Amino acid sequence: MFHDVRGQGPDLVLLHGWAMHAGIFAPLVARLEPHFTLHLVDLPGHGRSAGAGLPLRLADAADAVAAVVPARALWLGWSLGGLVALQQAAARPEAVRGLVMLAASPRFVRGEDWAAGMDAAVFRNFASELGRDYRGTLDRFLMLEAQGSDHVREELKLLRSEVFAHGEPAADVLCDGLGLLEDSDLRAALPSLAMPSLWLAGRRDRLVSPAAMRAASEAAPQGRFVQVESGGHAPFLTHAGDVADALLAFAADCPP
């Protein structure tokens, strides 16, 4: 597992989203380095952890991250990384000082009692298209991530520049990740979360509904919802200052 350490201060783990790697957080890292010891981890099969030989499953990924980062850290997960962070917070609350869900939801697809999710067919379609048009399919997903942002061109450019920065993620790993986004449902864990949680949404996000994140924050006993008004699915790329300010305020209220 690739693990890079930057900055100084309280420990903060950063977990990236589908098809990406920890380098995607560069704009946010620049803002947070003076305030936190940042633990940048590439998830199994992604980036510089491509050869780790670990399956991309929530419990396994959470265990692998926990093995390389300090206990009692703040855990931040963006998109798919949010599921990993929430899994760790629910399974090992003693190891997580605070949880930050950044454009992430306990359930990504909608169902009978969860109307604010994506259509499951979207994830199935991306998975079926990967084998036929690998790069085109990835690019379409990046376009979906950038949609809604008031800096959509800049955000898309940043996503495109990073996605292959450390090689091409294997198609089977990407399919596993899409499966996690489609099948995972961690809502039952919310009422028993033992630590403060911040649910940080982009108002214009086309992948994760801010309404779903607000509902999740209300189900968590110490949940807090913050919205970046002009942000899309990756608000930390073009609104890093807003995201950093929300993180600093949240961290100040977390127990030592």
Side-chain angles (χ1 to χ4, degrees):
M1 289 283 288
F2 174 83
H3 172 220
D4 188 21
V5 182
R6 310 271 188 91
Q8 56 185 355
D11 294 301
L12 171 60
V13 179
L14 300 177
L15 301 179
H16 60 83
W18 182 80
M20 283 293 171
H21 52 82
I24 192 64
F25 288 118
L28 188 58
V29 167
R31 301 271 184 160
L32 296 180
E33 274 186 308
H35 308 285
F36 296 97
T37 299
L38 301 172
H39 298 269
L40 299 155
V41 181
D42 286 357
L43 292 174
H46 289 71
R48 292 147 290 187
S49 294
L54 297 169
L56 187 60
R57 294 194 292 261
L58 291 187
D60 294 310
D63 287 346
V65 175
V68 298
V69 303
R72 295 300 297 165
L74 298 168
W75 281 52
L76 177 152
W78 168 53
S79 198
L80 174 62
L83 288 173
V84 178
L86 180 53
Q87 166 70 28
Q88 177 70 357
R92 296 180 181 81
E94 73 284 354
V96 180
R97 177 176 162 235
L99 170 68
V100 182
M101 298 288 281
L102 177 54
S105 168
R107 175 171 175 165
F108 277 72
V109 301
R110 61 174 171 259
E112 292 182 3
D113 54 349
W114 190 249
M118 291 283 290
D119 187 339
V122 172
F123 296 105
R124 295 190 201 118
N125 182 62
F126 278 117
S128 64
E129 289 292 306
L130 275 171
R132 187 183 65 82
D133 182 11
Y134 176 91
R135 285 182 171 262
T137 301
L138 275 176
D139 197 62
R140 286 190 291 277
F141 194 90
L142 299 184
M143 291 175 67
L144 185 59
E145 289 185 320
Q147 281 179 12
S149 171
D150 61 343
H151 298 291
V152 60
R153 291 185 179 179
E154 180 184 351
E155 198 164 303
L156 183 57
K157 181 179 179 181
L158 288 168
L159 290 166
R160 284 171 169 166
S161 70
E162 287 293 337
V163 66
F164 298 126
H166 300 289
E168 295 187 356
D172 60 334
V173 172
L174 296 183
C175 285
D176 288 345
L178 290 170
L180 286 180
L181 292 172
E182 180 183 347
D183 298 333
S184 297
D185 187 352
L186 300 180
R187 289 176 296 161
L190 298 180
S192 59
L193 284 181
M195 71 292 296
S197 59
L198 172 63
W199 301 77
L200 188 50
R203 185 177 67 84
R204 300 175 175 177
D205 194 339
R206 297 294 185 267
L207 270 174
V208 176
S209 164
M213 293 187 63
R214 185 186 292 275
S217 74
E218 293 170 352
Q222 302 178 68
R224 176 188 303 182
F225 177 80
V226 174
Q227 186 167 269
V228 179
E229 290 302 315
S230 299
H233 187 61
F236 58 90
L237 291 180
T238 51
H239 301 81
D242 294 333
V243 173
D245 289 346
L247 283 170
L248 287 166
F250 172 71
D253 292 338
C254 287

